[in-house]
């Protein structure tokens, strides 16, 4: 094993929304920072897909198998590159709703309150929107929380077909809005172009790619991390630093803590509570396809969202969730996980090729909050990484799907020549799709029931932090990316204070 001859003030493991943002925040301190990334630096935005390559099975999946409840292997849709999963995200930068931070009764159970509230995150949401160049507009959304400042850039216009749908929704008394999107000179902003790449010219920042972190090593007392072990090119290296930050994603951060077990931490580092890996959540995600009579480009952005059913409906007093268009199907990476949709479209439109199917349809993403459950967990069985996960809050999600299909039918009835109203194919995202994963290292004030304190530092190891979505004590129905970014900026302020003392 090779011991690196450098000593770092901060070692950041992972370069996604959390790690990449934190690197950008800390770089101006002049402190010596090492960034370790399992993947490579890819300058081309991975979400800029070429035609029908999006439909190639498992193009954006990890090569290492994980295992499900039944012990069956699967290859997760998680992206290893500088920028992490933000290289294949939609760029939607939504704030959690103010009530999402409170305890909420759902049809499927209780979503617990957060120990911090919306007002604690609001300044960092604003900072995050500026950093990631959010284009948006505060509109007549019944759930939109208060903003201290307007979005830094104007909203992205809808495609004509979507604008027409939005106008019809408004006429029906609903409240369609422009989704806030991160857009820069190179297209959608991500954690590589916004977080990591801008700081690589700094003398105090070092990036090592193809560096798979395999273990954390503590001092003899177990009170602090003394070294990070990573494999680079088949060789094992030890990197030494004062502050260690995990930002590997909710599954991989928990997995790293678990497999780093030692004499002082026999159940995994920082796992005295037994909560590491517990309460794994991933939103209930479905895609519904609306068939159109005329063609579209197949490559337009997600721009239209709707939250009228976020907290329920007239016939259902429990939260349902969020709706947004998928963007052009030819550029939607996660849509590739919905092969039943493609089969249904082929049967409905037998004379159309794959490209024509995609360009004569509009996809709609429906997102419902998944509730924390200690039995939904990340853990090891021998050397196999296992994700035990059973969806919950399913009735609420099904009701959202049916409610939205009713809305689409009403829209189509006003424009009968614009739509092929044969049916509305639906597909639910399987365990392989880990979009919006969170919750495996929840933060809180009680070390018996949480892994991290309110600064996202582990209760048991005083120099170890986690800044990805692992810290969420509950999920919301909006996309979590902006909250991860905002939290990384918040934790960054705490670390800057610590580094300057």
């Amino acid at each position: 094993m090779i011991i690196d001859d450098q000593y770092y003030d901060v070692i950041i493991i992972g370069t996604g929304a959390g790690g990449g943002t934190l690197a950008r925040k800390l770089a101006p301190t002049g402190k010596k920072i090492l960034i370790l990334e399992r993947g490579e630096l890819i300058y081309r935005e991975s979400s800029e897909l070429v035609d029908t390559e999006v439909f190639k099975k498992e193009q954006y999946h990890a090569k290492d198998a994980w295992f499900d409840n039944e012990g069956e292997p699967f290859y997760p849709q998680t992206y290893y590159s500088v920028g992490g999963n933000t290289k294949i995200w939609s760029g939607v930068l939504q704030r959690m709703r103010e009530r999402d931070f409170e305890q909420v009764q759902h049809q499927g159970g209780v979503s617990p309150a957060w120990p911090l509230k919306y007002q604690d995150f609001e300044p960092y949401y604003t900072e995050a929107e500026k950093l990631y160049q959010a284009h948006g507009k505060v509109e007549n959304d019944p759930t939109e929380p208060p903003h201290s400042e307007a979005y830094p850039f104007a909203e992205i216009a809808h495609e004509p077909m979507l604008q027409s749908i939005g106008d019809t929704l408004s006429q029906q008394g609903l409240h369609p809005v422009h989704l806030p999107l991160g857009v820069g000179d190179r297209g959608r902003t991500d954690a590589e172009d916004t977080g990591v790449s801008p700081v690589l010219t700094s003398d105090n920042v070092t990036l090592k790619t193809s560096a798979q972190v395999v273990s954390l090593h503590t001092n003899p007392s177990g009170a602090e991390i003394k070294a990070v072990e990573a494999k680079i090119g088949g060789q094992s290296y030890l990197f030494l630093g004062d502050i260690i930050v995990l930002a590997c994603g909710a599954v991989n951060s928990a997995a790293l803590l678990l497999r780093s077990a030692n004499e002082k931490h026999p159940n995994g580092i920082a796992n005295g509570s037994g909560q590491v890996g517990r309460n794994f959540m991933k939103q209930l995600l479905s895609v519904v396809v609306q068939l159109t009579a005329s063609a579209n480009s197949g490559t337009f952005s997600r721009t239209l969202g709707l939250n009228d059913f976020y907290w329920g409906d007239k016939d259902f007093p429990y939260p349902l969730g969020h709706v947004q268009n998928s963007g052009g199907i030819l550029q939607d990476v996660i849509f590739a996980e919905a092969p039943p949709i493609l089969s249904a479209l082929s049967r409905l439109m037998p004379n159309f090729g794959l490209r024509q199917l995609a360009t004569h349809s509009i996809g709609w993403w429906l997102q419902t909050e998944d509730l924390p459950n200690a039995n939904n967990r990340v853990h090891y069985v021998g050397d196999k990484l296992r994700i035990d996960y059973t969806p919950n809050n399913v009735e609420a999600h099904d009701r959202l799907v049916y409610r939205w299909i009713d809305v689409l039918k009403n829209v189509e009835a006003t424009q009968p020549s614009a739509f092929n109203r044969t049916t509305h194919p639906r597909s639910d995202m399987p365990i392989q799709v880990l979009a919006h994963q969170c919750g495996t290292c929840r933060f809180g004030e009680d070390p018996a029931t949480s892994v991290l304190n309110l600064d996202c530092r582990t209760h048991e190891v005083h120099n170890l932090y986690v800044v990805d979505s692992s810290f969420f004590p509950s999920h919301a129905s909006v996309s979590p990316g902006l909250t991860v970014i905002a939290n990384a900026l918040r934790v960054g302020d705490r670390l800057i204070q610590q580094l300057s003392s």
Side-chain angles (χ1 to χ4, degrees), residues 368 393-403 426 428:
T368 299
N393 213 19
V394 174
E395 181 181 343
H397 185 65
D398 287 341
R399 284 178 176 266
L400 177 64
V401 172
Y402 302 144
R403 184 69 177 89
R426 165 191 178 177
D428 302 329

Side-chain angles (χ1 to χ4, degrees), residues 290-358:
Q290 185 178 26
L291 303 177
T292 62
S294 58
N296 60 65
S297 66
T299 58
F300 54 88
S301 297
R302 299 190 190 196
T303 57
L304 192 151
L306 187 134
N307 290 313
D308 287 80
F309 315 123
Y310 199 92
W311 297 120
D313 198 10
K314 62 183 187 310
D315 299 321
F316 191 74
Y318 302 106
L320 292 175
H322 168 73
V323 178
Q324 61 181 246
N325 76 289
S326 72
I329 288 174
L330 287 176
Q331 71 173 18
D332 194 311
V333 173
I334 302 178
F335 190 89
E337 299 299 336
I341 286 284
L342 300 180
S343 298
L345 290 177
S346 297
R347 290 193 299 271
L348 292 169
M349 305 166 75
N351 297 322
F352 279 57
L354 182 59
R355 180 172 179 79
Q356 289 175 299
L357 291 175

